[in-house]
Amino acid sequence: MVKISIALSKGRIFDETAPLLERVGIRPNDDPERSRKLVLATNRRDVQLIVVRASDTPTYVERGGADLGVAGRDVLAEHGGEGLYQPVDLGIAACRMMVAVRKGFDYAGAVRQGARLRVATKYVNITREHFAAKGVHVDLIRLYGSMELAPLVGLADAIVDLVSTGNTLRANSLVPVEEIMPVSARLIVNQAALKTKRAALQPLIDAFSKAAGR
Ligand code: PRT
Ligand code: MG
């Protein structure tokens, strides 16, 4: 029997992938939000889930620690996505990657005047490429979370972060000023596994595609 493992992160990605898994006919034997197990068996003897940090999903799949995975476009773009096949946009965990500034900060003016912008983010690669393409000089400040705080305490002029409802920005007197990209989660596949295990993987990929209505 060919074994297949699927890498998923807890929280948003698992919550929104669970209905798709259900439609594909895969049910984990333990609830990943409650269990401390990092490898979860499922109702299908040939399929297991592995629980990883969201930003580690591409690394696990690229290096064959899992055959399949579900990762946000943000995470994939920041990682680079080398060695990964991305056959299905699942359309889940949707949001937008935005540049945001403190209310009252003249972003357009700063860009027009060629001022050097201090930008805080955990997406340093995406941010560097975005501003380089605009010809704007930036000092990148790499943070690991709660980017919204940086402009409030004078650490940065702008942040690059994900926005869904906009509530987090509003609660912190920030305003979105530019969209970098729309984001949703993708099914990703290890390229070597797709060759060696195609008979087992292709039907699953097709089932995910159908379950996602793609
Ligand atoms: O939390 P952890 O550090 O473990 O990792 P993570 O933050 O990367 O994972 P997780 O589970 O929070 O997010 C997983 C994926 O969900 C991301 O990679 C995105 O592709 C997707 N996603 C969709 C989001 C959001 N929407 C989102 N709104 N990820 C994060 N957010 C955060 C955002 O960073 C901001 O802090 O929610 C806040 C804004 O939300 P609103 O509704 O207030 O605008
Ligand atoms: Mg998070």
Side-chain angles (χ1 to χ4, degrees):
M1 183 176 51
V2 178
K3 286 261 188 191
I4 297 171
S5 62
I6 306 176
L8 292 170
S9 53
K10 289 190 199 184
R12 229 179 291 256
I13 294 288
F14 179 79
D15 294 347
E16 300 200 23
T17 304
L20 298 180
L21 284 171
E22 178 75 40
R23 259 174 261 162
V24 167
I26 297 170
R27 279 177 301 278
N29 293 350
D30 293 286
D31 175 358
E33 305 296 343
R34 284 153 182 256
S35 169
R36 289 173 188 254
K37 286 183 189 168
L38 299 173
V39 179
L40 304 177
T42 73
N43 62 312
R44 272 182 57 169
R45 279 181 52 226
D46 61 333
V47 178
Q48 66 180 16
L49 306 185
I50 68 163
V51 180
V52 301
R53 269 303 277 272
S55 46
D56 291 334
T57 309
T59 305
Y60 274 90
V61 177
E62 176 194 349
R63 293 176 176 270
D67 302 302
L68 302 176
V70 176
R73 183 183 176 197
D74 53 322
V75 166
L76 291 166
E78 185 63 21
H79 169 268
E82 302 92 3
L84 292 172
Y85 176 52
Q86 301 181 26
V88 189
D89 179 352
L90 297 171
I92 58 171
C95 57
R96 297 184 297 159
M97 187 171 295
M98 308 280 301
V99 180
V101 299
R102 238 179 128 151
K103 211 186 287 171
F105 179 82
D106 182 8
Y107 175 72
V111 166
R112 213 178 317 111
Q113 286 161 24
R116 202 174 174 92
L117 278 181
R118 296 168 305 153
V119 185
T121 187
K122 67 175 179 180
Y123 301 103
V124 288
N125 296 325
I126 295 170
T127 300
R128 190 184 301 111
E129 279 171 34
H130 174 74
F131 285 104
K134 284 169 63 82
V136 173
H137 292 287
V138 291
D139 285 326
L140 285 176
I141 301 163
R142 205 243 190 264
L143 295 177
Y144 291 86
S146 301
M147 277 83 87
E148 295 88 355
L149 183 60
L152 304 185
V153 297
L155 190 70
D157 303 308
I159 61 169
V160 168
D161 195 7
L162 302 175
V163 179
S164 45
T165 61
N167 289 339
T168 308
L169 291 184
R170 273 190 295 278
N172 292 292
S173 308
L174 300 174
V175 286
V177 288
E178 196 162 80
E179 175 166 332
I180 297 184
M181 61 171 97
V183 168
S184 55
R186 321 274 150 126
L187 183 69
I188 59 174
V189 186
N190 175 276
Q191 282 179 347
L194 189 59
K195 296 201 183 92
T196 56
K197 300 185 183 179
R198 188 181 276 276
L201 287 177
Q202 192 64 54
L204 253 188
I205 296 168
D206 294 343
F208 270 105
S209 176
K210 200 170 160 227
R214 304 279 139 170

